[in-house]
């Protein structure tokens, strides 16, 4: 191939692929809004709060960002709203082990940010993040779950609490909670957390008394 | 060096190496914050913003300096309007410094980052392009001035070579691809879509084109290889870079709320991205083998190392997790950090260093400079970086397995299971800092101390 041929191949070939990228971009722009819920004024304001505090300087969102702190794509799905609001405004007051500093996020900003996180959690991301294989398989390995364990799973308690290594770090590790608390405390706490732990960020458990009894039994077995 | 205006490159190099040292210093602080989050007065987000912005700016400034050296040489004339070029240099220094001060203020007082005319005043909160809108315009003006000066030099002399044409094509593409980052998008999905146009089409498009052109220039300069041969290889390399890289952008569009066809397009094209990088390695070795007379051994050493680590870091470390079937599990983990570190080091840090070691001795009139510190710096930097990348890769594998497959919490994996990786990364970070220090010292002393016999 002559130098001129190589040069023309470079120029026209690159232009060809760039035109394809532009065409695909036009189509993608058309489809993006259909793969996500409507953007309300609150969602838009929340996105600006996300930018203002440079959240991406530590977190990732849609998997892109700084890899220093958890990904925020599904946070609104996994954590109670009341917890999120308290955490955003003063992280260490809610979770003493948290690395996140108190940034001065106001109550209104926190509400908008949560609206934004609720929006992003509903974006159709082609199935990302995938459900963890081994956690999804837990309990289906031939061992029957107890009634309390089933309540624990159905309420999504493990989004915030750890039992035997599995679960979230937003709330305390409850692997041995049965040796620390009695039945009365646990039952009452599930009904009204802030009456037992001042300024608790945990939401009251919304389930029947029978289910809460079974959940309490399960907690008492954790020793 | 034949033309007085080529000396201007030195200004840019000086600013670049100072920012390099700043980048690595804050990098070491960031590494420590992985172990102790409250280690420093500035939070991790600010340190990280400084780390990546200093990186991008010093590489850009270094490439600008290199261009101001290459264009007069290739055009065989002095630069058009040297005073304007000097103004462009100082404007860049002032704008960059103002942006850095802004980041630090935002870090100390987040409330100061208020909206002015609908954009944030100090930090846009968008990775890599955190610079606020007013600074975007200053940067754009500086880059446009830079392009005008170089194009005018070429027009006036009417000497067009393939190397400088490709170099300036890459730089123009770079300037144009800054623009998609300057539009506010209400949708975070669209925000990230256009953001990748900037980030990906820079580092896996425009910058690689620049790298291809500079590699050809360097090989010609130090081995006296034939221009015709080098330019033909260059066209094929940068052509393949863009044929694979432009649609390879799709590997960032798997999971961000974009249509499913990107899984196919991104998977196929980005898997081919290492091919042109491998060609560059072959090109460097072939040229070296065929031309035994080397005028600057250290320069050729760095240029070849750049080609190799460009392939390993940008090519191999990228391709291992570029297929959607794999990326579904690894996306957003430390594996990306590992790839980012080795890719930037190999593709661009070593490139700018190679250009400095090839052109600076000629600018300072010290062709027989003492190369011992340059080699020592290379080994400190490269061995440290390889181990930094291996520790982060290990952390990424543990994270992928424990968090993504087993379902353990992000914080638990980071704080407990990956702790040793962070400790070793910090130690090798100090090694890298020492290597950087050696290089900066060598930069300032080169040609000014007696060469050892």
């Amino acid at each position: 191939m002559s130098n001129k041929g190589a040069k023309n191949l470079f120029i026209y070939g690159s232009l060809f692929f760039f035109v394809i990228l532009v065409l695909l971009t036009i189509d993608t722009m058309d489809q993006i809004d259909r793969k996500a819920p409507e953007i309300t004024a609150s969602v838009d304001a929340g996105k600006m709060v996300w930018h203002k505090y440079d959240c991406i300087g530590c977190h990732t969102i849609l998997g892109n960002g700084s890899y220093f702190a958890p990904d925020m794509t599904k946070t609104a799905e996994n954590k109670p709203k009341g917890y999120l609001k308290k955490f955003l405004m003063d992280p260490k007051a809610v979770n003493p082990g948290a690395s996140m500093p108190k940034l001065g996020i106001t109550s209104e900003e926190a509400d908008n940010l949560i609206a934004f996180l609720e929006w992003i959690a509903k974006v159709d991301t082609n199935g990302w993040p995938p459900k963890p294989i081994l956690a999804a398989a837990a309990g289906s390995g031939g061992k029957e779950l107890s009634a309390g364990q089933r309540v624990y799973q159905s309420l999504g308690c493990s989004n915030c609490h750890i039992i035997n290594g599995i679960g979230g770090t937003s709330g305390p590790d409850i692997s041995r909670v049965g040796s620390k608390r009695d039945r009365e405390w646990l039952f009452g706490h599930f009904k009204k957390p802030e009456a037992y732990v001042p300024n608790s960020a945990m939401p009251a458990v919304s389930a029947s008394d029978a289910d809460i009894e079974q959940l309490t039994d399960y907690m008492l077995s954790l020793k | 060096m034949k033309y007085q205006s080529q000396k201007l490159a030195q200004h840019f190099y000086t600013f670049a190496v100072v920012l390099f040292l700043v980048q690595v210093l804050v990098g070491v602080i960031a590494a420590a914050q992985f172990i102790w989050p409250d280690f420093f007065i500035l939070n991790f987000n600010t340190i990280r913003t400084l780390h990546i912005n200093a990186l991008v700016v010093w590489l850009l400034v270094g490439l600008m300096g290199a261009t101001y050296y290459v264009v007069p040489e290739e055009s065989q004339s002095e630069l058009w309007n040297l005073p304007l070029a000097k103004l462009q240099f100082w404007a860049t220094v002032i704008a960059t410094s103002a942006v850095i001060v802004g980041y630090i203020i935002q870090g100390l007082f987040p409330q100061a980052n208020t909206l002015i005319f609908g954009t944030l005043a100090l930090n846009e909160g968008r990775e890599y392009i955190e610079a606020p809108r007013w600074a975007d315009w200053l940067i754009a003006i500086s880059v446009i001035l830079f392009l005008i000066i170089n194009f005018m030099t070429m027009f006036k002399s009417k000497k067009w070579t393939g190397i400088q044409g490709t170099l300036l094509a890459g730089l123009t593409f770079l300037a144009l691809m800054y623009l998609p980052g300057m539009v506010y998008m209400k949708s975070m999905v669209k925000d990230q879509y256009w953001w990748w146009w900037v980030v990906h089409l820079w580092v896996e498009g425009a910058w690689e084109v620049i790298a291809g052109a500079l590699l050809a220039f360097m090989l010609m300069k130090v081995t006296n290889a034939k221009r015709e041969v080098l330019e033909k290889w260059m066209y094929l390399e940068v052509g393949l870079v863009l044929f694979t890289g432009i649609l390879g952008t799709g590997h960032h569009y798997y999971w961000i709320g974009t249509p499913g066809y990107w899984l196919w397009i991104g998977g196929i094209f980005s898997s081919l991205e290492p091919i042109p990088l491998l060609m560059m390695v072959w090109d460097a070795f072939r040229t070296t083998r065929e031309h035994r007379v080397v005028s600057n051994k250290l320069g050729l050493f760095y240029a070849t190392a750049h080609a190799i680590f460009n392939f390993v870091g940008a090519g191999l470390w990228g391709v291992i997790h570029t297929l959607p079937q794999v990326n579904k599990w690894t996306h957003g983990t430390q594996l990306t950090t590992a790839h980012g570190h080795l890719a930037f080091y190999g593709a661009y840090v070593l490139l700018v260093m190679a250009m400095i070691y090839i052109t600076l001795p000629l600018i300072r009139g010290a062709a027989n400079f003492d190369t011992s510190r340059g080699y020592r710096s290379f080994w400190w930097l490269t061995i440290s970086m390889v181990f930094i990348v291996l520790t982060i890769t290990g952390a990424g594998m543990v994270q992928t397995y424990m968090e993504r497959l087993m379902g353990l919490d992000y914080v638990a994996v980071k704080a407990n299971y990956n702790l040793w990786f962070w400790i070793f990364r910090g130690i090798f970070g100090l090694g890298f800092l020492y290597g950087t220090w050696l290089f900066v010292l060598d930069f300032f002393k080169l040609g000014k101390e007696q060469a050892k016999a």
Side-chain angles (χ1 to χ4, degrees):
Chain A
M1 193 190 293
S2 69
N3 267 30
K4 199 169 177 204
K7 181 177 163 186
N8 285 338
L9 182 70
F10 161 52
I11 294 172
Y12 295 107
S14 304
L15 283 174
F16 171 75
F17 283 105
F18 197 78
V19 168
I20 293 181
L21 177 68
V22 170
L23 293 175
L24 287 169
T25 296
I26 293 169
D27 182 68
T28 299
M29 282 300 130
D30 189 45
Q31 292 198 39
I32 280 177
D33 287 338
R34 277 181 269 146
K35 284 172 75 88
E38 196 196 340
I39 299 167
T40 62
S42 181
V43 171
D44 188 31
K47 180 174 181 277
M48 197 51 100
V49 175
W50 170 269
H51 291 309
K52 175 183 171 185
Y53 291 98
D54 191 23
C55 305
I56 202 130
C58 291
H59 292 276
T60 50
I61 194 159
L62 299 171
N64 296 314
S66 299
Y67 321 100
F68 183 75
D71 186 81
M72 291 288 107
T73 312
K74 298 290 177 188
T75 301
E77 245 172 36
N78 297 333
K79 309 281 167 174
K81 215 170 165 175
Y83 166 84
L84 275 181
K85 183 161 182 180
K86 283 187 177 171
F87 184 87
L88 285 169
M89 292 172 69
D90 193 354
K92 288 191 170 74
V94 177
N95 181 355
S99 300
M100 181 162 151
K102 188 177 176 177
L103 295 167
I105 296 173
T106 65
S107 172
E108 192 195 350
E109 284 178 333
D111 286 336
N112 288 330
L113 191 51
I114 291 167
F116 166 68
L117 292 174
E118 282 172 340
W119 177 85
I120 203 129
K122 292 196 192 83
V123 171
D124 172 4
T125 54
N126 298 332
W128 192 88
K131 298 248 183 288
I133 295 173
L134 299 175
S140 62
K143 205 182 96 198
E144 195 67 26
L145 292 179
S146 73
Q149 280 174 319
R150 277 201 297 274
V151 176
Y152 184 83
Q153 282 206 344
S154 69
L155 292 172
C157 305
S158 71
N159 285 327
C160 295
H161 295 280
I162 286 180
I163 294 177
N164 301 336
I166 296 279
T169 49
S170 302
D173 185 327
I174 49 172
S175 304
R176 297 179 194 284
V177 72
S179 54
K180 266 185 256 165
R181 307 289 185 197
D182 57 20
R183 175 174 296 277
E184 191 206 357
W185 192 97
L186 285 166
F187 188 86
H189 176 261
F190 285 140
K191 293 282 235 183
K192 203 176 178 193
E194 70 273 19
Y196 290 76
V197 179
N199 203 27
S200 170
M202 176 167 151
V205 173
S206 59
S208 68
D209 278 10
D211 279 354
I212 294 180
E213 280 290 352
Q214 278 163 342
L215 189 61
T216 306
D217 286 343
Y218 177 41
M219 293 297 114
L220 287 169
S221 74
L222 298 170
K223 285 181 178 171
Chain B
M1 188 191 70
K2 292 183 197 141
Y3 304 96
Q4 283 305 309
S5 49
Q6 284 177 299
K7 273 191 182 161
L8 182 65
Q10 219 179 158
H11 285 66
F12 285 84
Y13 290 160
T14 308
F15 188 44
V17 301
V18 170
L19 280 178
F20 183 23
L21 192 59
V22 172
Q23 187 222 339
V24 177
L25 265 174
V26 291
V28 171
I29 295 173
Q33 286 178 326
F34 260 80
I35 305 163
W36 307 286
D38 302 322
F39 173 72
F40 195 66
I41 183 164
L42 290 165
N43 292 321
F44 179 85
N45 63 333
T46 308
I47 293 295
R48 208 265 185 175
T49 300
L50 291 172
H51 182 59
I52 60 177
N53 279 259
L55 165 78
V56 172
V57 175
W58 89 257
L59 293 174
L60 268 180
V61 168
L63 292 175
M64 281 179 176
T67 306
Y68 278 136
Y69 186 92
V70 173
V71 167
E73 187 122 334
E74 292 282 293
S75 308
Q76 299 178 17
S77 74
E78 292 288 347
L79 272 181
W80 177 79
N81 210 334
L82 187 62
L84 195 63
K86 279 188 178 157
L87 177 79
Q88 189 253 324
F89 170 73
W90 287 109
T92 308
V93 174
I94 291 165
T96 306
S97 310
V99 171
I100 290 175
V101 171
Y103 291 158
I104 293 171
I105 295 174
Q106 193 273 347
L108 294 171
F109 314 102
Q111 299 305 331
N113 197 20
T114 50
L115 280 176
I116 295 175
F117 300 118
T119 64
L120 290 161
L122 302 174
N123 182 329
E124 266 186 35
R126 300 169 72 211
E127 196 190 0
Y128 288 106
I129 48 174
E130 287 94 342
R133 196 57 45 84
W134 56 266
D136 287 343
W137 287 113
L138 288 179
I139 294 163
I141 291 170
S142 161
V143 173
I144 290 167
L145 270 181
F146 164 78
L147 288 175
I148 289 175
I149 293 162
N150 286 299
F151 272 114
M152 285 304 287
T153 310
M154 280 168 65
F155 280 127
K156 288 263 176 187
S157 72
K158 296 197 180 64
K159 287 207 175 61
W160 298 76
T161 68
I163 287 176
Q164 64 169 342
T166 307
L167 177 61
L168 287 174
L171 287 162
T172 309
F173 186 35
L174 180 157
L176 288 174
M177 286 308 107
Y178 192 63
L179 303 178
M182 288 171 67
V183 185
Y184 181 75
M185 291 283 152
K186 272 189 174 187
S187 158
M188 185 53 115
V189 177
K190 288 183 181 170
D191 188 313
Q192 290 205 357
Y193 186 91
W194 290 108
W195 178 80
W196 278 120
W197 267 52
V198 184
V199 176
H200 175 94
L201 291 175
W202 267 27
V203 296
E204 287 167 63
W207 289 39
E208 288 284 1
V209 172
I210 295 166
L214 290 180
L215 181 66
F217 177 82
M218 292 190 291
L219 292 175
M220 187 175 72
K221 200 79 198 150
V222 295
T223 66
N224 246 336
K226 270 204 189 115
R227 177 185 288 277
E228 290 71 36
V229 181
L230 285 170
E231 286 191 345
K232 191 198 287 184
W233 275 78
M234 174 191 73
Y235 283 132
L236 294 176
E237 287 157 5
V238 297
L240 279 175
V241 160
L242 293 184
F243 301 170
T244 58
I246 288 175
L247 291 180
T249 318
H251 66 186
H252 302 294
Y253 297 154
Y254 296 159
W255 324 115
I256 66 166
T258 34
Y261 53 70
W262 285 111
L263 298 173
W264 285 94
I265 298 168
I268 291 167
F269 282 91
S270 68
S271 297
L272 301 173
E273 280 187 54
I275 293 171
L277 309 185
L278 187 60
M279 272 178 72
M280 291 182 189
V281 178
W282 172 249
D283 192 9
F285 277 106
R286 180 187 52 81
T287 313
T288 313
R289 201 175 52 237
E290 289 171 3
H291 300 83
R292 295 284 175 177
V293 187
V294 177
S295 64
N296 181 340
K297 279 192 180 151
L298 181 66
L300 181 63
F301 184 79
Y302 267 90
T304 310
H306 146 71
I308 294 170
F309 280 99
N310 188 10
F311 171 65
V312 176
L316 291 186
W317 242 255
V319 88
I320 51 168
H321 56 138
T322 203
L323 285 177
Q325 299 88 321
V326 177
N327 193 259
K328 185 171 190 171
W329 300 97
T330 60
H331 176 56
T333 66
Q334 298 294 332
L335 287 179
T336 316
T337 322
H339 163 53
H341 276 82
L342 199 56
F344 264 114
Y345 178 68
Y348 304 117
V349 172
L350 285 174
L351 173 71
V352 173
M353 289 179 77
M355 276 304 294
I356 288 178
Y357 273 123
I358 286 173
T359 60
L360 193 68
L362 301 171
I363 291 172
R364 296 214 178 131
N368 291 318
F369 63 103
D370 182 356
T371 55
S372 63
R373 202 186 284 117
Y375 283 111
R376 262 195 298 150
S377 157
F378 173 84
W379 289 114
W380 272 98
L381 288 172
T382 302
I383 292 173
S384 303
M385 181 50 82
V386 164
F387 278 99
I388 287 170
V389 168
L390 288 178
T391 53
I392 311 175
T393 304
M397 288 164 72
V398 169
Q399 185 190 5
T400 303
Y401 185 75
M402 298 191 104
E403 186 195 345
R404 294 291 164 74
L405 266 70
M406 287 176 70
L408 266 69
D409 185 73
Y410 171 92
V411 175
V413 176
K414 181 190 161 212
N416 306 327
Y417 304 104
N418 271 336
L419 185 60
W420 276 108
F421 287 119
W422 307 142
I423 293 170
F424 281 114
R425 191 254 299 265
I427 293 168
F428 292 116
L430 289 174
F432 195 85
L433 178 63
Y434 180 64
T436 311
W437 170 249
L438 281 178
F439 168 64
V440 174
L441 204 64
D442 205 32
F443 174 84
F444 285 106
K445 291 198 167 180
L446 195 149
K448 290 171 186 167
E449 53 190 0
Q450 205 68 45
K452 286 184 198 109

